[in-house]
Amino acid sequence: MDQSAPAHLLVVDNDFEVRKLFGTMLHRQQYRVSSAASGAEAFAVIAKDQPDLIILDHFLPDTSGEAMLGRLRADPRTRETPVIFLTSDDSMPRFRSVMELGADDFLAKPAAPADLADAVAAQLTKWRQRARRREAALGQSGATRQGAPAMVNAAAANPAAAPPGYTITATLGKGGTATAYLARHHERAGQCVLKVISAAGMADPEVMGRFHLEGAVLSRINHPNVVRVYEYGAGNDETHGHPWMAMELVDGGALKQMLGQPWERYEALRLMLKLGRALQAVHGAGVIHRDLKPDNIMLRADSLEPVLLDFGAAFDQRSEAQGNPRITQSGNVLGTPSYMAPEVIAGLPAQAASDIYACGVVFYELLTGERPFDAPDITELMRQHMGCPVPRLPDRHAAFQPLLDRLLAKNPHDRPRDGARMASDITALWCALTGDMPVLAPANHLSYAS
């Protein structure tokens, strides 16, 4: 934010009169104001002129306010942009859910103009303070926000981390064993994610094993619903000393951020079919994902196409058959308890049908907004997965119950055996319900159940 220029505010509300009222009031206070009537319009504004603060209504014609907030927090351009959330539901559960999704402030509608003005001024002040602290930490008092606020700007990114042929433009995130950068290849068009293993990661055999496994696995899978690895390097040459991997940049949010309320039923079925076809490619390559969950399913910003990623816990059956050692120590259970198949909980090896079980959990979440099994502790949660019957869907989704029962069957032999069979079963169900083949064209907005 250029502190000498008027702050740019974006008002996102489906009501023209509200947009006009807020726009006029904020303009009088010397702010530069843009407005949007939908999520799609908002992202069009953001692409042309990134706002310094967003005022977001809970209801939009093409998405929900919560889903829009999730997409804003997942988008590198708006990850740290202050968001003031407006809603007519001022209950404590709504307040908690919105703040957990990343809102900076929460106002009940109808919001008084004076209250909104105070909230805007407070959030802009906080943003300026954070920016000054970042600049001081970086030793760059003249730095300004470039691209995504959540990124360190290009001047602060470490150029030494870039392997030959790449230029780093920003730092996306840094962990104990790796750093993710936004980068450009000197010849390939577009941006990519460059993952570079740290010295601590290089010293950990398990981290290195997973890194090489993910690179080897994804390099041989080519499917539009599976994240693409362009290339990766071992880091043992003179030009670049750290292992690195160049991956496709998926610019939408994680599916996890789009959950919490029921999806329109055919939107849910369509996403499941896309996941089935992604797993068809994965399982066909001899790979079991082993940690399929909404966090590891991204949605492309322009089409809401699901993209399966994070294969660090995958099991490569072909490597095992060739005598290559397992990456994890014997006895370690891989996966996330809420999406873990009963046989994996019991200590048996994961199989393709274990990924299918995780898809069943996701399917139930899409249709109901809740997980099929939930408990305050892991022990009870695992007991439910192993012993409790499959929950019944609401009556309006009764036609989907047989499919859900097969996906969440306790015995893996009672489930679709792999992604290909799951995709086939979903296609057959779609045809039986509609009399036509599935509609697979990319969506430009998400519909929730009314």
Side-chain angles (χ1 to χ4, degrees), residues 122-142:
Q123 291 305 320
L124 290 175
T125 297
K126 289 181 181 179
W127 164 249
R128 294 186 181 102
Q129 291 172 345
R130 289 198 301 267
R132 284 195 291 268
R133 286 196 294 268
R134 278 198 299 267
E135 290 166 4
L138 293 171
Q140 298 177 340
S141 58

Side-chain angles (χ1 to χ4, degrees), residues 71 251-252 299-305 442-445:
R71 291 181 66 186
D251 54 359
L299 300 178
R300 299 189 191 279
D302 59 347
S303 64
L304 298 180
E305 285 285 287
N444 54 23
H445 68 275

Side-chain angles (χ1 to χ4, degrees), residues 417-428:
R417 62 178 177 268
D418 55 20
R421 175 58 66 181
M422 173 177 142
S424 176
D425 288 355
I426 293 173
T427 299

Side-chain angles (χ1 to χ4, degrees), residues 8-25:
H8 177 208
L9 312 184
L10 173 58
V11 179
V12 187
D13 196 299
N14 70 310
D15 190 321
F16 172 78
E17 294 300 329
V18 171
R19 298 197 306 274
K20 181 179 178 181
L21 172 65
F22 288 168
T24 301
M25 182 269 294

Side-chain angles (χ1 to χ4, degrees), residues 314-328:
F315 176 54
D316 187 353
Q317 295 170 302
R318 296 182 182 179
S319 293
E320 187 76 5
Q322 294 167 4
N324 293 340
R326 292 175 181 263
I327 300 306
T328 57

Side-chain angles (χ1 to χ4, degrees), residues 39-54 68 71-83 127 145-151 170 172 182 191 249-253 300-302:
E41 286 186 17
F43 274 103
V45 172
I46 292 167
K48 294 179 180 178
D49 189 4
Q50 185 174 336
D52 298 304
L53 181 143
I54 298 172
M68 182 68 182
R71 291 181 66 186
L72 290 170
R73 288 302 175 236
D75 191 318
R77 297 169 298 182
T78 54
R79 189 168 292 152
E80 283 191 356
T81 303
V83 175
W127 164 249
R145 183 177 64 192
Q146 300 290 332
M151 303 174 184
L172 292 171
L182 189 66
Q191 296 178 314
L249 173 66
V250 183
D251 54 359
R300 299 189 191 279
D302 59 347

